[in-house]
Amino acid sequence: GDATLTSTTAYGQIRNAYLEDTDSTPFRQFEAGNKTKAHDFQQDIHISGSSGAFRYTVGGFYLDVSGKYGLYNYFDAVFAGLAAPNQGGVTVRNDSRVNTQSKAIYGQFEYDLTDKFTVIAGGRYTWVNLQLDGLTVGCSQTLAGGCAVLGGFPVAALNQYAVGLGPVTINNKFGDWSGKFQLNYKPTDDVLLYASVNRGIKSGGFSAPLTSLFQMSDFAYKPENLLAFEVGEKAEFFDRRGTLGGSIRY
């Protein structure tokens, strides 16, 4: 049968700085912002082919992302619950570097049992290595005692920045599989009925604290997986000028 080799390479960069007047009032009460400086590299290579009633795709994927990230929040005395308006405020900042490497192998296979029935099976195994590097969380204040009360930071002099947590470096690794199995039935050329079971996964990662009260065990969160069942139909009519579809999922 025929086979096609496809390679896709991508490189990207992102730079952004964002600041939001969250309270939406004429006064400086609550601000939130973030900054990002990151780049990524992606490579996918796969082979697709067919032989008679059999069709397939098999391949591999690689992703590398490296970035520097920052979060910023400002609370005035009212939002911090410390004093009356216009009595000063507290600025909390989070800075970190996150490196992500992901590798995967995958395949999907289809076979026509008859001219009306097709069975589809696919799977993917993914390895992810995440590193949170150099995380620091700090605070500055124009309100005496604000940093200590708001986030448990060391008491800092007015208008001086004090690091209450870090630098912290944590690794988070995991590997897991995802996949699908589906049966298609086409009673006519314009109608498809199907039933499928799918297993999906979501990577673990890291939280971004804005307080020094976090424990080390709070930073990394675990990956998730989902098992889903679906039955449905897709139909075309009026010479493909209209479509109708519906499904039930669990």
Side-chain angles (χ1 to χ4, degrees), residues 99-240:
N99 301 308
T100 303
Q101 284 190 339
S102 177
K103 305 172 185 177
I105 54 175
Y106 60 87
Q108 178 164 305
F109 309 92
E110 303 180 13
Y111 185 74
D112 296 327
L113 299 173
T114 68
D115 60 344
K116 297 183 182 297
F117 284 96
T118 300
V119 61
I120 303 171
R124 178 186 182 107
Y125 197 92
T126 302
W127 297 266
V128 178
N129 182 11
L130 300 163
Q131 183 181 60
L132 177 68
D133 184 32
L135 170 70
T136 59
V137 184
C139 184
S140 62
Q141 60 189 18
T142 57
L143 175 68
C147 289
V149 173
L150 183 64
F153 295 93
V155 176
L158 296 182
N159 299 309
Q160 291 185 355
Y161 182 75
V163 174
L165 178 67
V168 174
T169 297
I170 305 175
N171 288 315
N172 192 358
K173 299 181 179 180
F174 87 98
D176 204 352
W177 66 275
S178 56
K180 69 177 294 181
F181 181 84
Q182 181 169 318
L183 181 64
N184 291 347
Y185 172 60
K186 297 196 69 173
T188 70
D189 291 340
D190 297 327
V191 177
L192 169 67
L193 307 177
Y194 65 91
S196 69
V197 56
N198 301 269
R199 186 181 193 270
I201 59 174
K202 181 180 179 180
S203 170
F206 302 105
S207 57
L210 282 171
T211 171
S212 65
L213 302 178
F214 269 58
Q215 301 297 317
M216 291 290 288
S217 58
D218 295 330
F219 287 99
Y221 54 85
K222 297 180 180 180
E224 304 174 15
N225 63 70
L226 172 70
L227 187 63
F229 302 86
E230 181 178 356
V231 293
E233 62 83 23
K234 298 178 181 180
E236 298 175 330
F237 48 90
F238 299 144
D239 197 21
R240 297 189 175 182

Side-chain angles (χ1 to χ4, degrees), residues 14 35-39 66-70 95-99:
I14 182 172
K35 61 180 180 179
T36 301
K37 182 180 180 181
H39 63 269
S66 180
K68 296 180 180 180
Y69 307 90
D95 294 285
S96 65
R97 295 184 300 273
V98 179
N99 301 308

